[in-house]
Amino acid sequence: MEDKCHIDMLGLMILCSLLTGSSGGTDIHVFSSDGGNVTLPCDNAPTGCISSMWIYRREQSSETVVLFKNGMKENGIERGERLSLVSDCSLNIYKATTEDRGHYTCRQLEDHRFDTSVYLHVLHVSPSSTQTEIRPNSSFTLSCQLYVYNVCSRYDIFNAEGVQLVWVNKAGVNLKPDPRFQISSSPQHCIITLTTTLLNEDNNTEWRCQITDTTDQVKTSVRYTVTYLAPAAETTQVNLVAVAVPVVALLTLIALIALWLICKKRARADNEAISTLTPVTPPADDVHGKKEDVAYAEVIISRKKFTERHNVQSNNEVTYATITGAGPRDEGL
């Protein structure tokens, strides 16, 4: 079995040598997370990129696409809105996707000996479960895959450079020694999976798939946060509370306005009651010619559709009061 593996590896090395040629240059491997921004270097570029061009080769294709030439972006290129050059002629890719993986070359038009060959690899994480299936006590699997240019670049990064895929928690601790997690990997397919049974406390827990080299330096990583859907009953209760609060506030406001209007109406009615005091002509002398030392006063209280007259007589000994109520028929008097 080991002999067969060595023969396969030797055949792979020969195949890669034939495919890539022997330019004598150094290949640069760049790693990016799915959705992240990445910059591809360009060595020995002239000022202003006036004699530089960026070329892109798709996987399993001999055709190349010119992205930039003489510092200018080519018209009509695919994903052109996400590509740009920086001051040193490096190529910037905004929100890289797995479709951006491939072989990029920064070529110096005056001397091809200074070409920079860059292989872009993109790391992507996906769950095997749908959102509705992600809940406590259920089995959960995350698959992490590194999308590479071709089989030759896969051999280079996993064997020649010692790159490996690992699963870690938020604190960066490797999850493989933890018996709760089952970690399986397939370097020949650039895949590593994490399988576990979810617990209640795993809600909003973050796990990361990352690429490290022989010095444990992290090349890139992708985060995945476990999120549980709220139960239907809890969701309904939250919705009811959200509706009830503004309704209660509105009813309280209406009640306060109604109370204010009632108080205002009562105050207006009280202001309409006007009391006046008018002098009354004293009666004539009695038949004996005797004058009484009596003071007279008439009090008139006016209200809507009702008038009261109060005749008050006073002497030193007795005070007399006569109250006459005017009904609806007396209003004209």
Side-chain angles (χ1 to χ4, degrees):
M1 188 61 151
E2 292 181 359
D3 292 340
K4 184 178 183 300
C5 291
H6 288 141
I7 293 173
D8 291 343
M9 190 65 66
L10 179 59
L12 180 59
M13 293 174 62
I14 295 174
L15 175 62
C16 291
S17 177
L18 293 174
L19 291 175
T20 58
S22 56
S23 61
T26 302
D27 294 333
I28 300 175
H29 293 278
V30 176
F31 302 88
S32 173
S33 60
D34 190 6
N37 300 333
V38 62
T39 300
L40 310 184
C42 179
D43 297 333
N44 303 309
T47 304
C49 311
I50 55 176
S51 61
S52 300
M53 66 184 302
W54 272 101
I55 304 171
Y56 170 66
R57 178 175 294 164
R58 298 178 182 274
E59 184 178 9
Q60 298 177 348
S61 174
S62 59
E63 297 182 0
T64 59
V65 178
V66 177
L67 305 177
F68 287 84
K69 187 175 182 180
N70 300 327
M72 302 296 294
K73 184 187 300 183
E74 293 292 294
N75 295 325
I77 58 175
E78 187 179 355
R79 61 197 172 96
E81 70 282 357
R82 295 190 292 110
L83 304 177
S84 61
L85 288 183
V86 294
S87 58
D88 61 353
C89 296
S90 298
L91 177 63
N92 184 69
I93 303 177
Y94 176 70
K95 290 188 176 180
T97 69
T98 56
E99 297 298 323
D100 292 323
R101 71 184 186 277
H103 182 201
Y104 294 79
T105 302
C106 182
R107 173 160 297 170
Q108 307 307 325
L109 299 178
E110 297 179 355
D111 192 344
H112 291 185
R113 291 179 300 173
F114 296 108
D115 286 357
T116 305
S117 181
V118 183
Y119 290 91
L120 175 63
H121 315 292
V122 181
L123 190 65
H124 174 76
V125 169
S126 60
S128 60
S129 307
T130 63
Q131 180 60 54
T132 57
E133 295 172 335
I134 302 176
R135 57 183 181 272
N137 302 318
S138 64
S139 179
F140 182 65
T141 299
L142 285 173
S143 178
C144 177
Q145 181 173 358
L146 180 64
Y147 287 81
V148 298
Y149 171 60
N150 56 25
V151 65
C152 298
S153 59
R154 181 165 65 240
Y155 165 78
D156 287 342
I157 61 176
F158 281 95
N159 293 276
E161 297 194 6
V163 168
Q164 61 177 343
L165 295 171
V166 294
W167 278 105
V168 299
N169 60 17
K170 188 176 182 179
V173 178
N174 195 329
L175 297 177
K176 189 172 183 178
D178 192 333
R180 184 194 160 193
F181 301 96
Q182 294 79 51
I183 308 295
S184 61
S185 60
S186 176
Q188 64 269 26
H189 296 100
C190 305
I191 297 176
I192 184 171
T193 60
L194 175 151
T195 301
T196 188
T197 298
L198 294 175
L199 306 176
N200 290 328
E201 56 266 28
D202 286 333
N203 190 28
N204 297 324
T205 295
E206 177 186 290
W207 292 316
R208 295 201 309 265
C209 176
Q210 62 187 26
I211 299 176
T212 60
D213 58 16
T214 53
T215 62
D216 291 331
Q217 180 182 0
V218 178
K219 298 291 188 178
T220 190
S221 64
V222 178
R223 303 178 181 183
Y224 187 91
T225 302
V226 177
T227 304
Y228 296 155
L229 292 178
E234 181 180 344
T235 303
T236 303
Q237 183 178 2
V238 171
N239 292 337
L240 289 177
V241 171
V243 173
V245 170
V247 170
V248 171
L250 179 60
L251 293 177
T252 302
L253 179 61
I254 293 175
L256 291 174
I257 294 175
L259 181 62
W260 178 76
L261 291 175
I262 292 173
C263 294
K264 185 176 181 181
K265 185 176 181 180
R266 288 181 177 177
R268 184 182 300 171
D270 292 340
N271 291 335
E272 290 179 354
I274 303 174
S275 298
T276 59
L277 180 63
T278 58
V280 179
T281 304
D285 296 342
D286 60 7
V287 293
H288 302 288
K290 185 179 179 179
K291 295 183 179 179
E292 297 288 344
D293 189 9
V294 180
Y296 296 87
E298 184 178 13
V299 178
I300 301 176
I301 300 176
S302 299
R303 297 182 183 271
K304 290 182 178 179
K305 297 183 180 181
F306 185 79
T307 304
E308 292 182 358
R309 291 184 176 87
H310 303 263
N311 293 328
V312 181
Q313 299 179 11
S314 176
N315 58 18
N316 294 333
E317 297 180 359
V318 182
T319 299
Y320 301 89
T322 302
I323 300 175
T324 303
R329 296 180 181 179
D330 298 330
E331 289 180 358
L333 295 179

Short mmCIF file of all heavy atoms in Angstrom, two decimals, residues 30-90:
data_model
loop_
_atom_site.label_atom_id
_atom_site.label_comp_id
_atom_site.label_asym_id
_atom_site.label_seq_id
_atom_site.Cartn_x
_atom_site.Cartn_y
_atom_site.Cartn_z
N VAL A 30 -1.58 32.35 -2.19
CA VAL A 30 -2.33 33.31 -1.38
C VAL A 30 -3.66 32.67 -1.00
O VAL A 30 -4.34 32.06 -1.83
CB VAL A 30 -2.57 34.62 -2.16
CG1 VAL A 30 -3.44 35.57 -1.35
CG2 VAL A 30 -1.23 35.27 -2.51
N PHE A 31 -4.04 32.84 0.28
CA PHE A 31 -5.27 32.24 0.80
C PHE A 31 -6.24 33.35 1.20
O PHE A 31 -5.85 34.36 1.79
CB PHE A 31 -4.96 31.36 2.01
CG PHE A 31 -3.97 30.26 1.72
CD1 PHE A 31 -2.60 30.49 1.85
CD2 PHE A 31 -4.41 29.02 1.29
CE1 PHE A 31 -1.69 29.49 1.58
CE2 PHE A 31 -3.50 28.02 1.01
CZ PHE A 31 -2.14 28.24 1.16
N SER A 32 -7.52 33.12 0.90
CA SER A 32 -8.56 34.09 1.24
C SER A 32 -9.78 33.36 1.75
O SER A 32 -10.05 32.21 1.35
CB SER A 32 -8.94 34.93 0.01
OG SER A 32 -10.06 35.75 0.28
N SER A 33 -10.50 34.00 2.64
CA SER A 33 -11.78 33.46 3.09
C SER A 33 -12.87 33.84 2.09
O SER A 33 -12.75 34.85 1.39
CB SER A 33 -12.14 34.00 4.48
OG SER A 33 -12.23 35.42 4.44
N ASP A 34 -13.89 33.02 2.01
CA ASP A 34 -15.01 33.32 1.13
C ASP A 34 -15.70 34.61 1.60
O ASP A 34 -16.17 34.70 2.72
CB ASP A 34 -16.00 32.15 1.15
CG ASP A 34 -17.07 32.27 0.08
OD1 ASP A 34 -16.99 33.20 -0.75
OD2 ASP A 34 -18.00 31.45 0.08
N GLY A 35 -15.74 35.61 0.73
CA GLY A 35 -16.32 36.89 1.10
C GLY A 35 -15.34 37.90 1.63
O GLY A 35 -15.71 39.04 1.92
N GLY A 36 -14.07 37.52 1.74
CA GLY A 36 -13.06 38.45 2.26
C GLY A 36 -12.34 39.20 1.14
O GLY A 36 -12.42 38.82 -0.04
N ASN A 37 -11.66 40.26 1.50
CA ASN A 37 -10.86 41.02 0.55
C ASN A 37 -9.43 40.47 0.54
O ASN A 37 -8.88 40.16 1.60
CB ASN A 37 -10.84 42.50 0.92
CG ASN A 37 -12.24 43.11 0.92
OD1 ASN A 37 -13.12 42.63 0.22
ND2 ASN A 37 -12.44 44.14 1.72
N VAL A 38 -8.85 40.37 -0.64
CA VAL A 38 -7.51 39.80 -0.75
C VAL A 38 -6.69 40.60 -1.76
O VAL A 38 -7.24 41.15 -2.72
CB VAL A 38 -7.59 38.31 -1.18
CG1 VAL A 38 -8.25 38.16 -2.54
CG2 VAL A 38 -6.23 37.65 -1.16
N THR A 39 -5.39 40.66 -1.53
CA THR A 39 -4.47 41.38 -2.41
C THR A 39 -3.40 40.42 -2.93
O THR A 39 -2.74 39.74 -2.13
CB THR A 39 -3.82 42.56 -1.68
OG1 THR A 39 -4.83 43.46 -1.24
CG2 THR A 39 -2.87 43.30 -2.62
N LEU A 40 -3.21 40.39 -4.23
CA LEU A 40 -2.20 39.54 -4.86
C LEU A 40 -0.98 40.40 -5.19
O LEU A 40 -1.11 41.42 -5.87
CB LEU A 40 -2.76 38.88 -6.13
CG LEU A 40 -4.12 38.18 -5.99
CD1 LEU A 40 -4.51 37.51 -7.30
CD2 LEU A 40 -4.10 37.17 -4.85
N PRO A 41 0.22 40.00 -4.76
CA PRO A 41 1.42 40.84 -4.94
C PRO A 41 1.93 40.81 -6.38
O PRO A 41 1.73 39.86 -7.12
CB PRO A 41 2.43 40.21 -3.98
CG PRO A 41 2.03 38.77 -3.91
CD PRO A 41 0.53 38.76 -4.00
N CYS A 42 2.61 41.89 -6.74
CA CYS A 42 3.27 41.99 -8.04
C CYS A 42 4.69 42.50 -7.77
O CYS A 42 4.88 43.65 -7.35
CB CYS A 42 2.53 42.94 -8.96
SG CYS A 42 3.29 43.14 -10.59
N ASP A 43 5.69 41.65 -8.02
CA ASP A 43 7.09 42.01 -7.73
C ASP A 43 7.72 42.77 -8.90
O ASP A 43 7.39 42.55 -10.07
CB ASP A 43 7.91 40.75 -7.45
CG ASP A 43 7.42 40.02 -6.21
OD1 ASP A 43 6.85 40.68 -5.32
OD2 ASP A 43 7.60 38.78 -6.13
N ASN A 44 8.65 43.65 -8.55
CA ASN A 44 9.48 44.37 -9.54
C ASN A 44 8.63 45.14 -10.56
O ASN A 44 9.00 45.27 -11.73
CB ASN A 44 10.40 43.40 -10.29
CG ASN A 44 11.30 42.63 -9.36
OD1 ASN A 44 11.97 43.21 -8.51
ND2 ASN A 44 11.30 41.31 -9.50
N ALA A 45 7.49 45.65 -10.14
CA ALA A 45 6.64 46.42 -11.05
C ALA A 45 7.16 47.83 -11.19
O ALA A 45 7.60 48.45 -10.21
CB ALA A 45 5.21 46.45 -10.54
N PRO A 46 7.16 48.40 -12.40
CA PRO A 46 7.62 49.78 -12.60
C PRO A 46 6.62 50.78 -12.01
O PRO A 46 5.45 50.45 -11.79
CB PRO A 46 7.70 49.91 -14.12
CG PRO A 46 6.68 48.93 -14.61
CD PRO A 46 6.70 47.78 -13.66
N THR A 47 7.09 51.98 -11.79
CA THR A 47 6.22 53.02 -11.25
C THR A 47 5.06 53.31 -12.20
O THR A 47 5.26 53.49 -13.41
CB THR A 47 7.03 54.31 -11.01
OG1 THR A 47 8.12 54.02 -10.15
CG2 THR A 47 6.15 55.38 -10.39
N GLY A 48 3.88 53.31 -11.65
CA GLY A 48 2.71 53.60 -12.46
C GLY A 48 2.19 52.41 -13.24
O GLY A 48 1.21 52.52 -13.97
N CYS A 49 2.86 51.27 -13.10
CA CYS A 49 2.43 50.04 -13.79
C CYS A 49 2.35 50.23 -15.31
O CYS A 49 1.53 49.58 -15.98
CB CYS A 49 1.09 49.55 -13.26
SG CYS A 49 0.98 49.45 -11.47
N ILE A 50 3.18 51.11 -15.86
CA ILE A 50 3.04 51.46 -17.28
C ILE A 50 3.41 50.31 -18.21
O ILE A 50 3.02 50.29 -19.38
CB ILE A 50 3.91 52.70 -17.61
CG1 ILE A 50 5.36 52.45 -17.20
CG2 ILE A 50 3.35 53.93 -16.92
CD1 ILE A 50 6.29 53.58 -17.59
N SER A 51 4.21 49.35 -17.71
CA SER A 51 4.57 48.22 -18.57
C SER A 51 4.24 46.89 -17.89
O SER A 51 4.93 45.89 -18.10
CB SER A 51 6.07 48.27 -18.91
OG SER A 51 6.85 48.19 -17.73
N SER A 52 3.15 46.90 -17.07
CA SER A 52 2.73 45.69 -16.38
C SER A 52 1.33 45.29 -16.84
O SER A 52 0.53 46.13 -17.26
CB SER A 52 2.74 45.89 -14.86
OG SER A 52 4.03 46.22 -14.40
N MET A 53 1.04 43.99 -16.71
CA MET A 53 -0.29 43.50 -17.00
C MET A 53 -0.61 42.32 -16.08
O MET A 53 0.28 41.58 -15.68
CB MET A 53 -0.42 43.09 -18.47
CG MET A 53 0.43 41.90 -18.88
SD MET A 53 0.33 41.54 -20.66
CE MET A 53 -1.42 41.27 -20.87
N TRP A 54 -1.90 42.21 -15.74
CA TRP A 54 -2.37 41.09 -14.92
C TRP A 54 -3.14 40.13 -15.83
O TRP A 54 -4.03 40.53 -16.57
CB TRP A 54 -3.25 41.57 -13.79
CG TRP A 54 -2.51 41.94 -12.53
CD1 TRP A 54 -2.18 43.18 -12.11
CD2 TRP A 54 -2.01 41.01 -11.56
NE1 TRP A 54 -1.49 43.12 -10.92
CE2 TRP A 54 -1.38 41.79 -10.55
CE3 TRP A 54 -2.02 39.63 -11.42
CZ2 TRP A 54 -0.77 41.23 -9.43
CZ3 TRP A 54 -1.42 39.06 -10.30
CH2 TRP A 54 -0.81 39.85 -9.32
N ILE A 55 -2.79 38.83 -15.72
CA ILE A 55 -3.42 37.78 -16.52
C ILE A 55 -4.03 36.75 -15.57
O ILE A 55 -3.43 36.41 -14.54
CB ILE A 55 -2.40 37.10 -17.45
CG1 ILE A 55 -1.72 38.14 -18.34
CG2 ILE A 55 -3.06 36.03 -18.30
CD1 ILE A 55 -0.55 37.59 -19.13
N TYR A 56 -5.22 36.27 -15.92
CA TYR A 56 -5.90 35.28 -15.10
C TYR A 56 -6.17 34.03 -15.93
O TYR A 56 -6.63 34.11 -17.07
CB TYR A 56 -7.22 35.85 -14.58
CG TYR A 56 -8.13 34.84 -13.92
CD1 TYR A 56 -7.76 34.22 -12.73
CD2 TYR A 56 -9.35 34.50 -14.50
CE1 TYR A 56 -8.59 33.30 -12.12
CE2 TYR A 56 -10.19 33.58 -13.89
CZ TYR A 56 -9.81 32.98 -12.71
OH TYR A 56 -10.63 32.06 -12.11
N ARG A 57 -5.86 32.87 -15.34
CA ARG A 57 -6.13 31.59 -16.00
C ARG A 57 -7.09 30.79 -15.15
O ARG A 57 -6.87 30.56 -13.96
CB ARG A 57 -4.83 30.81 -16.21
CG ARG A 57 -5.03 29.42 -16.85
CD ARG A 57 -3.71 28.77 -17.14
NE ARG A 57 -2.98 29.52 -18.15
CZ ARG A 57 -1.68 29.38 -18.38
NH1 ARG A 57 -0.96 28.55 -17.63
NH2 ARG A 57 -1.09 30.08 -19.33
N ARG A 58 -8.17 30.35 -15.79
CA ARG A 58 -9.17 29.55 -15.09
C ARG A 58 -8.67 28.12 -14.89
O ARG A 58 -7.78 27.66 -15.58
CB ARG A 58 -10.48 29.53 -15.87
CG ARG A 58 -11.11 30.91 -16.05
CD ARG A 58 -12.38 30.81 -16.88
NE ARG A 58 -12.96 32.12 -17.09
CZ ARG A 58 -13.80 32.71 -16.24
NH1 ARG A 58 -14.12 32.09 -15.12
NH2 ARG A 58 -14.31 33.90 -16.51
N GLU A 59 -9.33 27.45 -13.94
CA GLU A 59 -8.99 26.06 -13.68
C GLU A 59 -9.33 25.20 -14.89
O GLU A 59 -10.38 25.35 -15.51
CB GLU A 59 -9.75 25.56 -12.46
CG GLU A 59 -9.39 24.14 -12.05
CD GLU A 59 -10.13 23.71 -10.80
OE1 GLU A 59 -11.03 24.44 -10.36
OE2 GLU A 59 -9.81 22.63 -10.28
N GLN A 60 -8.41 24.25 -15.21
CA GLN A 60 -8.59 23.31 -16.32
C GLN A 60 -8.86 24.04 -17.64
O GLN A 60 -9.68 23.61 -18.45
CB GLN A 60 -9.71 22.32 -16.02
CG GLN A 60 -9.45 21.46 -14.79
CD GLN A 60 -10.60 20.53 -14.48
OE1 GLN A 60 -11.69 20.66 -15.02
NE2 GLN A 60 -10.35 19.59 -13.58
N SER A 61 -8.18 25.16 -17.84
CA SER A 61 -8.34 25.91 -19.08
C SER A 61 -6.99 26.47 -19.50
O SER A 61 -6.23 26.97 -18.66
CB SER A 61 -9.35 27.05 -18.91
OG SER A 61 -9.40 27.84 -20.09
N SER A 62 -6.72 26.36 -20.77
CA SER A 62 -5.46 26.90 -21.29
C SER A 62 -5.60 28.36 -21.70
O SER A 62 -4.61 29.02 -21.99
CB SER A 62 -4.99 26.07 -22.49
OG SER A 62 -5.99 26.08 -23.52
N GLU A 63 -6.83 28.85 -21.72
CA GLU A 63 -7.07 30.24 -22.12
C GLU A 63 -6.81 31.18 -20.95
O GLU A 63 -7.08 30.86 -19.79
CB GLU A 63 -8.50 30.41 -22.63
CG GLU A 63 -8.82 29.61 -23.88
CD GLU A 63 -10.24 29.85 -24.37
OE1 GLU A 63 -10.95 30.65 -23.71
OE2 GLU A 63 -10.61 29.26 -25.38
N THR A 64 -6.31 32.34 -21.25
CA THR A 64 -6.05 33.36 -20.23
C THR A 64 -6.90 34.59 -20.52
O THR A 64 -7.27 34.86 -21.67
CB THR A 64 -4.57 33.75 -20.20
OG1 THR A 64 -4.19 34.24 -21.50
CG2 THR A 64 -3.71 32.56 -19.81
N VAL A 65 -7.17 35.33 -19.47
CA VAL A 65 -7.95 36.56 -19.56
C VAL A 65 -7.09 37.71 -19.07
O VAL A 65 -6.54 37.66 -17.95
CB VAL A 65 -9.25 36.47 -18.74
CG1 VAL A 65 -10.02 37.78 -18.82
CG2 VAL A 65 -10.10 35.30 -19.20
N VAL A 66 -6.96 38.76 -19.88
CA VAL A 66 -6.21 39.94 -19.47
C VAL A 66 -7.13 40.82 -18.61
O VAL A 66 -8.20 41.24 -19.05
CB VAL A 66 -5.70 40.72 -20.69
CG1 VAL A 66 -4.98 42.00 -20.24
CG2 VAL A 66 -4.77 39.85 -21.53
N LEU A 67 -6.69 41.09 -17.41
CA LEU A 67 -7.48 41.91 -16.48
C LEU A 67 -7.05 43.38 -16.52
O LEU A 67 -7.89 44.27 -16.60
CB LEU A 67 -7.33 41.36 -15.05
CG LEU A 67 -7.69 39.89 -14.85
CD1 LEU A 67 -7.42 39.47 -13.41
CD2 LEU A 67 -9.14 39.63 -15.23
N PHE A 68 -5.74 43.63 -16.45
CA PHE A 68 -5.18 44.99 -16.49
C PHE A 68 -4.00 45.01 -17.46
O PHE A 68 -3.23 44.06 -17.54
CB PHE A 68 -4.71 45.44 -15.10
CG PHE A 68 -5.82 45.77 -14.14
CD1 PHE A 68 -6.43 44.77 -13.40
CD2 PHE A 68 -6.25 47.08 -13.99
CE1 PHE A 68 -7.45 45.07 -12.52
CE2 PHE A 68 -7.27 47.39 -13.10
CZ PHE A 68 -7.88 46.38 -12.37
N LYS A 69 -3.85 46.12 -18.14
CA LYS A 69 -2.71 46.30 -19.04
C LYS A 69 -2.28 47.77 -19.00
O LYS A 69 -3.11 48.67 -19.13
CB LYS A 69 -3.10 45.92 -20.48
CG LYS A 69 -1.92 45.93 -21.43
CD LYS A 69 -2.33 45.41 -22.81
CE LYS A 69 -1.15 45.38 -23.76
NZ LYS A 69 -1.55 44.88 -25.11
N ASN A 70 -0.97 47.97 -18.79
CA ASN A 70 -0.43 49.33 -18.68
C ASN A 70 -1.14 50.15 -17.61
O ASN A 70 -1.37 51.35 -17.76
CB ASN A 70 -0.49 50.05 -20.02
CG ASN A 70 0.31 49.34 -21.10
OD1 ASN A 70 1.33 48.72 -20.81
ND2 ASN A 70 -0.15 49.41 -22.34
N GLY A 71 -1.51 49.47 -16.54
CA GLY A 71 -2.16 50.15 -15.42
C GLY A 71 -3.63 50.43 -15.61
O GLY A 71 -4.26 51.03 -14.73
N MET A 72 -4.23 50.02 -16.72
CA MET A 72 -5.63 50.28 -17.02
C MET A 72 -6.42 48.98 -17.04
O MET A 72 -5.94 47.96 -17.55
CB MET A 72 -5.76 51.00 -18.37
CG MET A 72 -5.00 52.31 -18.45
SD MET A 72 -5.63 53.57 -17.29
CE MET A 72 -7.26 53.82 -18.00
N LYS A 73 -7.64 49.03 -16.50
CA LYS A 73 -8.50 47.86 -16.48
C LYS A 73 -9.09 47.62 -17.87
O LYS A 73 -9.53 48.56 -18.54
CB LYS A 73 -9.62 48.04 -15.46
CG LYS A 73 -10.53 46.83 -15.29
CD LYS A 73 -11.71 47.14 -14.38
CE LYS A 73 -11.26 47.55 -13.01
NZ LYS A 73 -12.40 47.79 -12.08
N GLU A 74 -9.11 46.36 -18.28
CA GLU A 74 -9.69 46.00 -19.56
C GLU A 74 -11.20 46.12 -19.50
O GLU A 74 -11.84 45.88 -18.45
CB GLU A 74 -9.31 44.57 -19.95
CG GLU A 74 -7.82 44.40 -20.25
CD GLU A 74 -7.42 45.13 -21.51
OE1 GLU A 74 -7.86 44.75 -22.60
OE2 GLU A 74 -6.61 46.10 -21.40
N ASN A 75 -11.83 46.52 -20.61
CA ASN A 75 -13.27 46.70 -20.67
C ASN A 75 -13.98 45.35 -20.82
O ASN A 75 -13.50 44.45 -21.51
CB ASN A 75 -13.66 47.60 -21.83
CG ASN A 75 -13.12 49.02 -21.66
OD1 ASN A 75 -13.05 49.52 -20.54
ND2 ASN A 75 -12.74 49.66 -22.76
N GLY A 76 -15.14 45.26 -20.18
CA GLY A 76 -16.00 44.09 -20.37
C GLY A 76 -15.53 42.82 -19.72
O GLY A 76 -16.05 41.74 -20.03
N ILE A 77 -14.59 42.89 -18.78
CA ILE A 77 -14.12 41.66 -18.13
C ILE A 77 -15.11 41.24 -17.04
O ILE A 77 -15.77 42.07 -16.41
CB ILE A 77 -12.72 41.84 -17.53
CG1 ILE A 77 -12.71 42.99 -16.50
CG2 ILE A 77 -11.70 42.07 -18.61
CD1 ILE A 77 -11.38 43.14 -15.79
N GLU A 78 -15.20 39.95 -16.84
CA GLU A 78 -16.09 39.42 -15.82
C GLU A 78 -15.60 39.81 -14.43
O GLU A 78 -14.41 39.88 -14.18
CB GLU A 78 -16.16 37.90 -15.95
CG GLU A 78 -17.18 37.24 -15.04
CD GLU A 78 -17.21 35.73 -15.24
OE1 GLU A 78 -16.50 35.23 -16.15
OE2 GLU A 78 -17.93 35.05 -14.49
N ARG A 79 -16.53 40.09 -13.52
CA ARG A 79 -16.27 40.53 -12.14
C ARG A 79 -15.35 41.74 -12.07
O ARG A 79 -14.66 41.98 -11.06
CB ARG A 79 -15.70 39.38 -11.32
CG ARG A 79 -14.37 38.81 -11.82
CD ARG A 79 -14.08 37.43 -11.23
NE ARG A 79 -12.92 36.83 -11.85
CZ ARG A 79 -11.70 36.89 -11.35
NH1 ARG A 79 -11.48 37.53 -10.22
NH2 ARG A 79 -10.70 36.30 -11.97
N GLY A 80 -15.34 42.55 -13.14
CA GLY A 80 -14.46 43.70 -13.19
C GLY A 80 -14.72 44.72 -12.10
O GLY A 80 -13.80 45.43 -11.67
N GLU A 81 -15.98 44.81 -11.62
CA GLU A 81 -16.31 45.80 -10.59
C GLU A 81 -15.66 45.47 -9.25
O GLU A 81 -15.59 46.33 -8.35
CB GLU A 81 -17.83 45.90 -10.43
CG GLU A 81 -18.51 44.70 -9.78
CD GLU A 81 -18.70 43.54 -10.75
OE1 GLU A 81 -18.34 43.70 -11.93
OE2 GLU A 81 -19.19 42.48 -10.32
N ARG A 82 -15.16 44.23 -9.08
CA ARG A 82 -14.53 43.84 -7.82
C ARG A 82 -13.00 43.83 -7.89
O ARG A 82 -12.33 43.44 -6.95
CB ARG A 82 -15.03 42.45 -7.39
CG ARG A 82 -16.52 42.42 -7.08
CD ARG A 82 -16.94 41.11 -6.41
NE ARG A 82 -16.85 39.96 -7.31
CZ ARG A 82 -15.95 38.99 -7.20
NH1 ARG A 82 -15.04 39.03 -6.24
NH2 ARG A 82 -15.95 37.98 -8.05
N LEU A 83 -12.46 44.25 -9.02
CA LEU A 83 -11.02 44.23 -9.21
C LEU A 83 -10.46 45.65 -9.26
O LEU A 83 -11.08 46.54 -9.85
CB LEU A 83 -10.66 43.50 -10.51
CG LEU A 83 -11.17 42.07 -10.66
CD1 LEU A 83 -10.79 41.51 -12.02
CD2 LEU A 83 -10.64 41.17 -9.55
N SER A 84 -9.30 45.84 -8.66
CA SER A 84 -8.65 47.16 -8.70
C SER A 84 -7.15 46.98 -8.47
O SER A 84 -6.70 45.95 -7.93
CB SER A 84 -9.24 48.10 -7.64
OG SER A 84 -9.04 47.58 -6.34
N LEU A 85 -6.37 47.99 -8.87
CA LEU A 85 -4.92 47.99 -8.65
C LEU A 85 -4.57 48.95 -7.53
O LEU A 85 -5.19 50.01 -7.38
CB LEU A 85 -4.18 48.41 -9.92
CG LEU A 85 -4.13 47.43 -11.09
CD1 LEU A 85 -3.28 48.01 -12.21
CD2 LEU A 85 -3.58 46.08 -10.65
N VAL A 86 -3.58 48.58 -6.73
CA VAL A 86 -3.06 49.48 -5.71
C VAL A 86 -1.79 50.13 -6.24
O VAL A 86 -1.36 49.84 -7.37
CB VAL A 86 -2.82 48.73 -4.39
CG1 VAL A 86 -4.13 48.26 -3.79
CG2 VAL A 86 -1.90 47.55 -4.60
N SER A 87 -1.17 50.97 -5.46
CA SER A 87 -0.06 51.79 -5.95
C SER A 87 1.14 50.97 -6.42
O SER A 87 1.86 51.39 -7.33
CB SER A 87 0.37 52.76 -4.85
OG SER A 87 0.75 52.05 -3.68
N ASP A 88 1.40 49.81 -5.83
CA ASP A 88 2.56 49.01 -6.23
C ASP A 88 2.19 47.97 -7.28
O ASP A 88 2.92 47.00 -7.49
CB ASP A 88 3.19 48.33 -5.01
CG ASP A 88 2.22 47.38 -4.31
OD1 ASP A 88 1.02 47.35 -4.69
OD2 ASP A 88 2.65 46.66 -3.39
N CYS A 89 1.04 48.15 -7.95
CA CYS A 89 0.55 47.26 -9.01
C CYS A 89 -0.01 45.94 -8.50
O CYS A 89 -0.31 45.04 -9.30
CB CYS A 89 1.62 46.98 -10.06
SG CYS A 89 2.16 48.44 -10.95
N SER A 90 -0.13 45.77 -7.18
CA SER A 90 -0.77 44.57 -6.66
C SER A 90 -2.24 44.57 -7.03
O SER A 90 -2.86 45.63 -7.17
CB SER A 90 -0.61 44.50 -5.14
OG SER A 90 0.76 44.42 -4.78
#
